[in-house]
Amino acid sequence: MKETVNVVDIVSQIKSDIQKKTGEIQQSAVPPVGNRVQKTSYKGIAERVRDKEEIIIVGAGSYGKKLYEIFKANGIESVQCFADNSSANYVNGVYDKRVISIEEAVKEYKEAYYIVTPKYYLMEIIRQLVFQGVSINKIDIYGGF
């Protein structure tokens, strides 16, 4: 028997979590100096994910790349890949990581922690992750925008 899903409750929970996480990110964000990412920059997001074994950065654009640089500068090596709905645009990958579709990422990394970076289509991407079975507790937002 299939479980009934109340979409209104899910969307309400997503909106609440987004507001909470966006506030936390904005309060802890320290802008980088020039084009260099300082080790102490964006400490909040780095500290939140330090204990995660598998991280997927959703979005291979400028915010996703910046987040990856922040993680590298802070010694966080658990990024498995980038996930992007336009993965075909990144056949050579980003930095040393491959770029796969969000659907592929969810299938391959069932226990991963997903960090959504695009400022456009934020709700749609979160909804996509949730409907593919990712727990809302395993979705974070990078507020580099």
Side-chain angles (χ1 to χ4, degrees):
M1 183 172 170
K2 277 195 161 185
E3 183 180 331
T4 306
V5 176
N6 185 334
V7 177
V8 174
D9 289 344
I10 291 173
V11 171
S12 177
Q13 181 63 43
I14 290 171
K15 285 181 180 178
S16 172
D17 286 353
I18 288 171
Q19 290 170 344
K20 178 182 169 196
K21 289 180 180 182
T22 301
E24 290 172 2
I25 292 167
Q26 288 172 348
Q27 289 174 6
S28 65
V30 177
V33 176
N35 291 330
R36 274 186 22 246
V37 177
Q38 294 181 323
K39 226 176 178 182
T40 56
S41 295
Y42 304 97
K43 190 174 183 178
I45 187 81
E47 290 307 313
R48 276 201 308 277
V49 302
R50 188 162 301 286
D51 66 336
K52 307 299 181 201
E53 292 180 23
E54 292 182 331
I55 297 172
I56 308 299
I57 297 176
V58 181
S62 59
Y63 294 126
K65 291 174 188 170
K66 181 184 279 188
L67 181 61
Y68 183 77
E69 291 171 2
I70 290 166
F71 287 166
K72 291 294 271 184
N74 282 279
I76 296 169
E77 302 290 333
S78 52
V79 174
Q80 303 302 304
C81 66
F82 288 83
D84 198 295
N85 282 325
S86 300
S87 59
N89 294 338
Y90 302 95
V91 292
N92 295 324
V94 173
Y95 296 116
D96 60 343
K97 300 297 178 185
R98 63 193 175 120
V99 180
I100 60 177
S101 71
I102 293 173
E103 185 177 344
E104 288 176 88
V106 172
K107 285 179 184 173
E108 189 171 335
Y109 300 100
K110 296 182 185 340
E111 299 301 316
Y113 191 75
Y114 292 80
I115 304 174
V116 180
T117 65
K119 70 178 180 178
Y120 302 108
Y121 309 109
L122 180 65
M123 288 298 293
E124 289 84 353
I125 292 168
I126 292 171
R127 192 171 311 132
Q128 183 181 4
L129 289 166
V130 169
F131 284 122
Q132 289 185 32
V134 178
S135 166
I136 192 71
N137 296 324
K138 291 187 175 192
I139 301 172
D140 206 335
I141 301 162
Y142 169 59
F145 34 84

